[in-house]
Each structure stands twice: as C-alpha cells, then as structure tokens.
Amino acid sequence: MLHLRIIAPADRSSQVADLLADNPGVAHLAVISGAARQPPGDLVLCDVVRESADRVLHQLQELGVEAHGGISADDVELTLSRAAKQAARDAPGHGEDAVVWDEIAAKTGEQTELTGTYLALIIVATMIAGVGVLLDQPILIVGAMVVGPEFGPLAALCVALLRRKSRTIVRSVQALTVGFLAAMVATVLSTWALTAADLVNREMLLAERPLTDFIWRPDALSWVVGILAGIAGMLSLTSKKSGSLVGVLISVTTVPAAANVAVATAYGVWHEAAGSALQLVINICAIVLAGLATLAVQQLWWWRVGRRAGRVTASRPQPPVGG
C-alpha cells in the first residue's frame, strides 16, 4: 500500500474526501480541517493499494490539488487492518503488477542528474572492465556490470519517451553520452598508465580471449540479450523487484563494451574498437526499445483495468441521502 498525505485547499477538500471515499482501493481516510499552514488548507490522510494508486493520483491532479496544495506518498511496509484487506480485494488487478507512473517518473528522473557520484561509478566500472578484458576474466566483467550505474538513465529515457517529457529525454541522453565518454577517456588513460608500469601490454589484447571476446563480436544474440534485459529491467523497476535488476546488470554488456572500445583505442586495435562500439550501440538500442515496449504494454493493460474499475464503481448503487 501507499500512504498519501494530501494538503487540499479548503474549497476543494470535500471533493478530495468524496473522491477518496468512493474509491474501493482506499482505506483509513482521515480529514483534519485547517491543519495545513503552508500552503493553507485541510490535511487529508489515507492508505491506497498500489493497484488503485495511479488512478487516485491522476484524479487528485485533475482536481488541482497538485497545483494549489500538495501530494506526497510513502510505501507502507506493514498494515494490520481488515479495511486494508478489503480494499486489496475490491481493487482490480494485483499490487505486485501495479505501475504507479508518478512514482516511476520521480524515481527515474532523479537518475538523469549528471552528478559526481554517477561519473565516478561509471568511470570505475569501465576501468574495472578494462582490466577484465585484458586478463580475460569474466568475474571482473560481472563486477563492472554490477557497479555500472547506466541503467538509471536508460530507464529514465524509456519512461520519458513514453510520457513525452522532452527535458528528461535530453538529460538522460546527456548523462549517458557524457558518462560513457568520460569513462572511456579515463580507461584509455589508465590503460596507458598500466602499460607504462609494465602491468599490461598490447599482446594481452591481441591474444586469444575465449571468455570475453564476445564483447567485441556483436551478432544476433546481442539483440536478443539486450531485448530480454530491457524487459526484465523495466519489470523489476515498475514492480519494485530490485533483485531482478541485479540480474539485468549482469546480463548486458554496455560497460564492458565501452571498456573494450577504450582499451582497443589505447592500443590502436581499431577493428576491435569498432566491434565493441557497435556492441555498445546495439545493447543501448535494444534495452531502450524493449523497455519502451514493456512500459507501453503495461500502460495499455492498466488503462483497461482502470476502465473496468470505473464501470464497476459507476454501476454500484449509491446509499440514499441521509440514510
């Protein structure tokens, strides 16, 4: 469930309370008149099951609560209530499948910021993968995939494309472009430094690397892996299944491909750099396309669920006034 704290202007408080009371997925509704001071209004509290949350938030915004008051939501970890159980039974759909679009947009929007932490993580991940490429060590490649933060901007890009948020699209592309370029430049420099220290050499890149040469040899399976990773990534994001997301980061080869581009560039092995660059582009495109398609299917599904819920609510007999 989600716990909603709503500041409703006094002239719209009754509409907000009626809207919430009429929704079968809402429980524990409370209205405290005049409690809010900034902005002024009434404080409305309630719990809503996740499968009804997106519809409720949309209706509140249509009433102008967002513009003239405020809405905040928190996850409820534990609820002991017969009313809450009844709300979960009455609301259409299943909570684990529910998509709260405002929550997803807010979460992914935060990951488009080009922060120092983001740059440090993607640079470190790419440098680790660069060493893994030279040593032909899959363990280092997997570790770099887990460390890499690039799925955040990729997910934000998918959400922004679906919701047509041009500013978020620009920030996501900027974070990906600047992040990968900075990471590859840093990896080129680190490769030169390690070579000067006689810790690695060009022959290591040119040698047979049966465990990691797939990184620079894209084929049809590169699209398959990228598409499956994009689907799993979006499902893990929208359903809050973070454990699945770790698996996705291990499945895709964005950071390792960028690392292979950098290492091959450092040693002037241009055919391998070109293959790695193509692998990187394929994976990014496959993840974005699959993620966008997954979100579109979820949006269509929950739109149909919402329509059915609206028809059911409208068909219920209303209690007589004063009864």
Side-chain angles (χ1 to χ4, degrees):
M1 298 190 80
L2 290 178
H3 178 67
L4 300 185
R5 295 186 302 279
I6 305 162
I7 296 179
D11 60 340
R12 306 183 192 194
S13 178
S14 60
Q15 292 177 279
V16 170
D18 291 343
L19 182 155
L20 296 172
D22 290 341
N23 192 299
V26 174
H28 313 142
L29 175 61
V31 180
I32 308 174
S33 299
R37 298 182 61 183
Q38 188 180 0
D42 298 340
L43 178 63
V44 182
L45 306 173
C46 70
D47 293 330
V48 56
V49 294
R50 291 189 63 86
E51 49 267 48
S52 295
D54 190 67
R55 180 179 177 83
V56 167
L57 291 172
H58 180 68
Q59 291 174 330
L60 289 172
Q61 291 175 69
E62 287 185 331
L63 286 177
V65 175
E66 178 186 24
H68 303 285
I71 307 168
S72 60
D74 295 309
D75 280 309
V76 178
E77 298 295 336
L78 175 65
T79 302
L80 302 176
S81 166
R82 182 178 297 178
K85 293 180 180 179
Q86 186 63 45
R89 286 194 293 266
D90 291 343
H94 299 280
E96 290 211 352
D97 296 333
V99 180
V100 184
W101 291 103
D102 288 310
E103 178 187 48
I104 299 302
K107 182 187 301 182
T108 56
E110 294 174 354
Q111 300 180 57
T112 63
E113 299 296 331
L114 198 59
T115 63
T117 300
Y118 169 80
L119 288 174
L121 283 174
I122 196 168
I123 288 172
V124 168
T126 308
M127 291 172 68
I128 292 172
V131 176
V133 164
L134 291 171
L135 297 179
D136 195 32
Q137 282 293 333
I139 293 177
L140 293 177
I141 300 298
V142 170
M145 291 178 182
V146 175
V147 173
E150 76 283 1
F151 186 76
L154 285 171
L157 180 59
C158 294
V159 175
L161 287 170
L162 184 69
R163 295 169 67 91
R164 299 178 184 177
K165 301 291 186 181
S166 57
R167 291 182 61 184
T168 305
I169 292 173
V170 172
R171 290 203 307 268
S172 301
V173 173
Q174 182 184 46
L176 289 168
T177 303
V178 175
F180 276 119
L181 286 177
M184 286 189 283
V185 169
T187 304
V188 169
L189 295 176
S190 68
T191 301
W192 286 341
L194 293 173
T195 303
D198 201 26
L199 295 175
V200 297
N201 54 64
R202 190 172 188 270
E203 284 65 36
M204 296 172 68
L205 182 69
L206 298 176
E208 290 294 325
R209 293 180 285 128
L211 300 180
T212 58
D213 68 350
F214 70 93
I215 295 172
W216 64 277
R217 298 180 187 272
D219 53 22
L221 284 177
S222 301
W223 283 100
V224 173
V225 172
I227 288 171
L228 293 177
I231 294 172
M234 281 302 139
L235 290 177
S236 68
L237 181 68
T238 57
S239 63
K240 303 176 76 66
K241 296 292 186 181
S242 59
S244 302
L245 188 55
V246 174
V248 174
L249 297 177
I250 296 174
S251 300
V252 297
T253 56
T254 49
V255 165
N260 211 117
V261 171
V263 172
T265 299
Y267 288 132
V269 184
W270 302 114
H271 71 283
E272 191 164 325
S276 304
L278 180 59
Q279 178 78 273
L280 177 61
V281 172
I282 287 175
N283 276 275
I284 289 176
C285 291
I287 291 170
V288 171
L289 291 174
L292 184 59
T294 302
L295 290 173
V297 170
Q298 289 179 299
Q299 185 180 56
L300 177 62
W301 170 259
W302 282 102
W303 176 76
R304 295 182 62 184
V305 169
R307 287 193 64 187
R308 289 200 302 268
R311 288 196 296 266
V312 170
T313 302
S315 66
R316 288 180 178 172
Q318 301 297 317
V321 177

